[in-house]
Structures are given as structure tokens and as C-alpha cells.
Amino acid sequence: NAGVMQNPRHLVRRRGQEARLRCSPVKGHSHVYWYRQLPEEGLKFMVYLQKENIIDESGMPKERFSAEFPKEGPSILRIQQVVRGDSAAYFCASSPTPQDSPLHFGNGTRLTVT
Amino acid sequence: QQPVQSPQAVILREGEDAVINCSSSKALYSVHWYRQKHGEAPVFLMILLKGGEQKGHEKISASFNEKKQQSSLYLTASQLSYSGTYFCGTELPGANNLFFGTGTRLTVIP
């Protein structure tokens, strides 16, 4: 079984550009989570989505960041007008249920803003 | 809401034991433990639900004291492959996500 697939693995953007990060969950998992990790730091929750719905976006910055998980296709984390402070590793995780289940993480997308 | 982990870092020789602690100021529904190697994805180790249970995974086990909102990860007879950063993730009742601690960097040397 394929695990969580994230792409691209590395993404370089200039300040002001847009970054689009993709995540395909484990087959059969309908719960997707996005986390951000700065170097040498922990994982910071950003957003939790189910198919076509944002359930909890309490960790997402109010501006420039958005996420979606359409009925068909991968989940997308979109960052508009990127700034240097957005440079980080962004991990996507999926689970079959919202609680009591392990999170299956993808290998992450490392975003570098120049 | 972020749990506190201790110690921040520990260095062990092969065969030695270690304990990593995770505490929360809030009542917890469950505690998860993950290990992340440098440049890789976090990998699930185990979940503990409230009830004070203890679980094991090879030579790695954990406990959850729900009264104290604390969990401990026990690594016995450490192996080189145990090196990495260990994160606890805490789940509140009715919540939809995990809040992760800042991590404990474990280094096992020959």
C-alpha cells in the first residue's frame, strides 16, 4: 500500500510568489492534517480537513494561507505571496478516523523562500 | 496547548536505557509517540488512551498517567537505530488534531 505522497519534495520560491503543496493521503483515509516544522523545532498544527470540508484551521495564519481537500484529487496547501518566514518543512499526515488512529506522515515538502 | 517534553536531548551508549517524559496542562484523551530521523517523516510508535495503560513496541514501551496528564517513553537496551528525535503528541477530548511537543533528540553511540 502506498503511504502518504507529498510533492514536490523541495520547492524554491522567490518572495511574493505562490507556493502550492500537494498531498495524497493513504488510500481509504479521509482525514488529512497539515503541519509545519521549522529547523530543529517541533511540528506545529496548521489545519485538519476531511473530504471537501475544513474541520479545524485554528493553526493556519489568517492571511495568505489556504487549504483544500477536494472530492477528487490531492489535498492542497496554498501559500500566496510567500515571505522568507514561510521557509520550513510542511508535512501532511492522514488517518482513517479522527481520533484513536496513528497519523501516517508523508516525507514533507521543504519550502525555501529566497 | 503544546505539551512539554524532557529532556531536550540525551546521549546514550548502545545497551543503555532512557526515559523521555511528556506532560500537559490539560486533560488528555490520548498520547501518541513518534520518532523522526533527520530529513525524514515522523514515524508512529504507539498510542496510549486514558486509563493508565502501558504499551510496548519491541524494546520501547510507554505509560500514560491520566491523573497527572503525563506520559513517559521507555527505551531499554538502546540500539544505534533508536537515534532520532522523539515527539509526543497530545490529543484533547473531542479535539481534531494532535499538539506535538518540542521533541527529545536521542543519540545512541557505539
Side-chain angles (χ1 to χ4, degrees):
Chain A
N1 285 335
V4 176
M5 304 299 291
Q6 286 188 252
N7 66 79
R9 285 296 305 275
H10 301 275
L11 182 62
V12 179
R13 284 288 178 266
R14 291 180 179 170
R15 279 183 298 171
Q17 290 184 321
E18 178 179 290
R20 289 170 69 88
L21 288 62
R22 294 175 185 77
C23 167
S24 296
V26 172
K27 189 175 181 181
H29 287 191
S30 57
H31 304 268
V32 166
Y33 308 79
W34 285 92
Y35 286 85
R36 176 163 65 178
Q37 186 176 40
L38 294 170
E40 309 302 322
E41 292 191 11
L43 297 149
K44 297 280 195 251
F45 168 76
M46 298 183 73
V47 62
Y48 159 49
L49 310 101
Q50 290 184 35
K51 280 287 186 182
E52 301 185 271
N53 292 304
I54 297 175
I55 307 300
D56 184 346
E57 56 183 347
S58 59
M60 194 103 93
K62 293 289 186 285
E63 297 178 352
R64 302 187 298 108
F65 285 72
S66 62
E68 62 177 16
F69 188 15
K71 186 176 180 181
E72 301 292 337
S75 175
I76 305 287
L77 179 66
R78 183 181 176 206
I79 311 173
Q80 294 178 293
Q81 299 176 325
V82 296
V83 300
R84 289 225 172 96
D86 296 333
S87 295
Y90 292 83
F91 286 95
C92 169
S94 72
S95 69
T97 62
Q99 286 196 318
D100 300 354
S101 297
L103 293 184
H104 298 254
F105 282 88
N107 285 324
T109 293
R110 280 144 188 86
L111 173 67
T112 302
V113 179
T114 61
Chain B
Q1 291 178 311
Q2 183 180 30
V4 177
Q5 281 186 241
S6 63
Q8 287 186 321
V10 59
I11 298 175
L12 298 174
R13 291 198 179 275
E14 267 188 296
E16 291 182 337
D17 303 339
V19 180
I20 300 172
N21 299 303
C22 173
S23 63
S24 172
S25 59
K26 295 185 179 291
L28 299 175
Y29 175 74
S30 70
V31 178
H32 296 218
W33 285 96
Y34 293 79
R35 176 172 61 208
Q36 184 180 31
K37 294 187 181 284
H38 185 70
E40 298 181 8
V43 174
F44 169 77
L45 294 176
M46 65 191 78
I47 290 178
L48 299 103
L49 302 178
K50 65 179 183 178
E53 66 176 299
Q54 188 154 350
K55 279 195 172 183
H57 174 79
E58 298 178 346
K59 293 181 180 176
I60 301 174
S61 62
S63 62
F64 177 25
N65 185 326
E66 62 181 294
K67 289 183 180 178
K68 293 185 177 180
Q69 309 308 327
Q70 291 177 348
S71 178
S72 294
L73 187 71
Y74 307 94
L75 300 102
T76 58
S78 59
Q79 305 168 16
L80 294 176
S81 62
Y82 286 2
S83 292
T85 301
Y86 289 78
F87 292 100
C88 69
T90 54
E91 192 171 21
L92 303 181
N96 301 309
N97 60 74
L98 290 181
F99 288 96
F100 285 93
T102 52
T104 296
R105 178 177 289 182
L106 178 76
T107 304
V108 181
I109 58 176

